[in-house]
C-alpha cells in the first residue's frame, strides 16, 4: 500500500536565505520577506485555503530553501522552546547582532539582524571590537572600541568569570554591581579612567544622556572588576561579617581607587551599600540554586 499523499501547499521562494546564528523568528521572516519582495504575512500563512501538516520549521525550510538541520544548528530555540528564558542566569533577550558580523556573513553591510543574546553577559563583540550590549537601540549606536582595548579586555574577563563561577553567580554579580556603580556616580564617586574613556567616546560628555551606551561602555571595566571581587566566595563572606569587613573595604579601594573622596553624606551610604550589594548577590545566588533543585525534583517526579 502506497503512503498517503500529503501535498505541500507552497514552494521555495526565488531568493533562498540562511538564518543567522541565534536569530529571532521575526527577524528571519522579515529578512526573508524583504529579500523576496513579499509581505511578511505571506510567510506566516502561505495559503489562505489550504493548511499544511508540516511544522513551522519545516515550512520555513521549504520557503527559504534551507535544510531543516540549518535551522536546528543556527536557532536551537525554535526546536526547543524552553531554551529561551527571559529570566534566570542567562536572561536571553532580543538584541541587534554585531553589524560587522552580519556584513561578513550575509555580504550586505546595510542588513540588520536581531538575535537572542544574554542581557547580562554579552556586551562586546570581541572580534570586531564593538559595543553591542546595554542601551544599543539600533546598529548605528554600536560603539567602536578600537581605541578602548580595556573595554574589550573586560568582556574577555567577564567570560572567564562566567566559565569559572557559573552563570547564576555572574548574572547576580553583573546585575547588582551595575546598579551599585550607577548609584555611586549619582553620589559623586569619581574615577579618572572612566572619565577618560567617556571623553574618548564622546568629546562633549555633557551631551551624553545617562542611559546612552557611551556611559555603560565607559564604566564596564570597573563593573567587571567589582564582579570579580563579589564573585569570590572568600571576599563576599568578608563583606558580610562586620568583624572582617575592613579587609573587604580595603581590597575594594585597592582595586577601584576613587579619584576624590565622597561627600560626608555619601560616605556612610557607600560603606552600607558595599555590604548590601554582597547580601543581594548572596540571596540571588541562593534563589537561583533553589530553582535548579526544585526543577530537578519536578523532573524526577514527572519521569515514569
Amino acid at each position: 500500500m502506497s503512503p498517503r499523499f500529503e501535498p505541500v501547499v507552497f514552494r521555495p521562494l526565488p531568493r533562498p536565505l540562511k538564518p543567522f546564528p541565534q536569530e529571532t523568528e521575526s527577524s528571519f521572516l522579515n529578512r526573508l520577506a524583504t529579500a523576496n519582495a513579499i509581505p511578511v504575512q505571506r510567510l506566516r500563512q502561505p495559503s489562505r485555503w489550504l493548511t499544511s501538516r508540516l511544522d513551522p520549521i519545516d515550512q520555513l525550510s521549504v520557503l527559504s530553501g534551507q535544510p531543516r538541520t540549518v535551522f536546528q544548528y543556527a536557532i536551537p530555540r525554535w526546536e526547543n522552546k524552553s531554551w529561551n528564558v527571559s529570566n534566570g542566569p542567562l536572561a536571553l533577550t532580543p538584541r541587534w547582532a554585531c553589524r560587522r558580523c552580519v556584513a561578513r556573513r550575509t555580504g550586505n553591510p546595510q542588513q540588520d539582524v536581531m538575535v537572542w543574546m544574554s542581557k547580562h553577559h554579552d556586551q562586546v563583540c570581541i572580534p570586531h571590537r564593538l559595543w553591542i550590549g546595554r542601551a544599543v537601540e539600533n546598529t548605528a549606536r554600536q560603539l567602536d572600541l578600537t581605541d578602548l582595548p580595556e573595554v574589550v579586555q573586560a568582556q574577555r574577563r567577564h567570560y572567564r568569570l562566567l566559565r569559572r563561577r557559573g552563570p547564576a553567580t555572574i548574572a547576580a554579580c553583573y546585575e547588582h554591581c551595575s546598579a551599585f556603580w550607577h548609584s555611586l556616580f549619582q553620589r559623586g564617586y569619581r574615577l579618572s579612567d572612566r572619565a577618560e574613556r567617556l571623553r574618548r567616546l564622546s568629546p562633549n560628555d555633557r551631551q551624553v544622556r545617562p542611559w546612552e551606551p557611551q556611559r555603560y561602555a565607559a564604566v564596564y571595566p570597573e563593573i567587571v572588576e567589582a564582579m570579580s571581587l563579589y564573585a569570590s566566595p572568600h571576599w563576599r563572606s568578608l563583606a558580610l561579617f562586620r568583624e572582617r569587613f575592613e579587609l573587604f573595604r580595603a581590597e575594594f579601594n585597592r582595586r577601584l581607587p576613587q579619584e576624590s573622596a565622597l561627600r560626608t553624606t555619601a560616605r556612610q551610604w557607600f560603606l552600607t551599600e558595599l555590604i548590601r550589594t554582597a547580601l543581594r548577590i548572596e540571596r540571588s545566588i541562593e534563589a537561583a540554586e533553589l530553582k535548579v533543585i526544585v526543577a530537578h525534583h519536578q523532573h524526577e517526579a514527572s519521569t515514569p
Side-chain angles (χ1 to χ4, degrees), residues 77-111:
R77 73 164 289 276
W78 288 8
E79 196 68 32
N80 179 13
K81 296 298 183 182
S82 64
W83 182 88
N84 168 35
V85 289
S86 57
N87 50 31
L90 292 178
L92 300 170
T93 187
R95 278 182 174 171
W96 295 110
C98 167
R99 64 176 186 267
R100 293 173 182 167
C101 289
V102 173
R104 180 176 62 83
R105 285 178 175 270
T106 66
N108 184 357
Q110 304 301 322
Q111 195 165 99

Side-chain angles (χ1 to χ4, degrees), residues 139-301:
T139 55
R141 297 173 69 83
Q142 292 179 341
L143 304 174
D144 191 329
L145 303 173
T146 303
D147 295 332
L148 294 168
E150 65 270 31
V151 180
V152 182
Q153 184 59 31
Q155 179 68 86
R156 292 193 179 97
R157 189 180 185 188
H158 190 150
Y159 285 148
R160 287 198 299 271
L161 287 170
L162 185 62
R163 290 192 295 269
R164 182 181 179 187
R165 302 295 185 182
T169 296
I170 300 306
C173 288
Y174 177 80
E175 181 180 357
H176 295 294
C177 287
S178 297
F180 182 33
W181 278 111
H182 180 70
S183 299
L184 275 175
F185 292 133
Q186 286 183 325
R187 287 166 171 80
Y189 201 93
R190 295 290 179 264
L191 294 169
S192 56
D193 289 345
R194 172 187 177 271
E196 175 60 21
R197 289 186 210 110
L198 191 56
R199 186 192 65 78
R200 280 186 278 171
L201 287 168
S202 299
N204 190 353
D205 64 352
R206 292 187 178 181
Q207 294 181 355
V208 180
R209 293 169 295 181
W211 55 86
E212 290 193 345
Q214 289 93 327
R215 293 198 182 274
Y216 294 111
V219 77
Y220 183 56
E222 281 71 34
I223 291 175
V224 175
E225 184 66 60
M227 285 166 54
S228 70
L229 184 62
Y230 279 105
S232 166
H234 168 71
W235 289 112
R236 200 165 62 247
S237 66
L238 294 185
L240 295 173
F241 287 98
R242 291 190 177 276
E243 296 79 5
R244 309 184 69 184
F245 170 71
E246 285 302 321
L247 294 174
F248 178 87
R249 177 188 176 186
E251 181 66 12
F252 186 96
N253 290 334
R254 184 188 71 81
R255 296 192 189 192
L256 295 157
Q258 57 182 309
E259 187 177 346
S260 58
L262 287 169
R263 297 185 300 271
T264 303
T265 55
R267 289 176 186 170
Q268 186 57 44
W269 173 90
F270 171 65
L271 298 178
T272 304
E273 199 64 16
L274 286 175
I275 299 172
R276 287 177 177 172
T277 299
L279 185 59
R280 292 182 188 116
I281 290 172
E282 191 73 18
R283 288 174 175 171
S284 295
I285 294 171
E286 291 174 354
E289 291 175 347
L290 180 61
K291 284 183 180 179
V292 172
I293 294 172
V294 171
H296 177 70
H297 287 321
Q298 289 177 342
H299 176 72
E300 286 188 338

Side-chain angles (χ1 to χ4, degrees), residues 15-19 28 31-33 35-36 63-66 71 111:
R15 294 180 179 272
L17 191 69
K18 287 185 178 180
F28 179 72
R31 290 198 305 121
L32 185 60
N36 289 274
L63 289 169
S64 63
Q66 305 297 322
F71 290 92
Q111 195 165 99

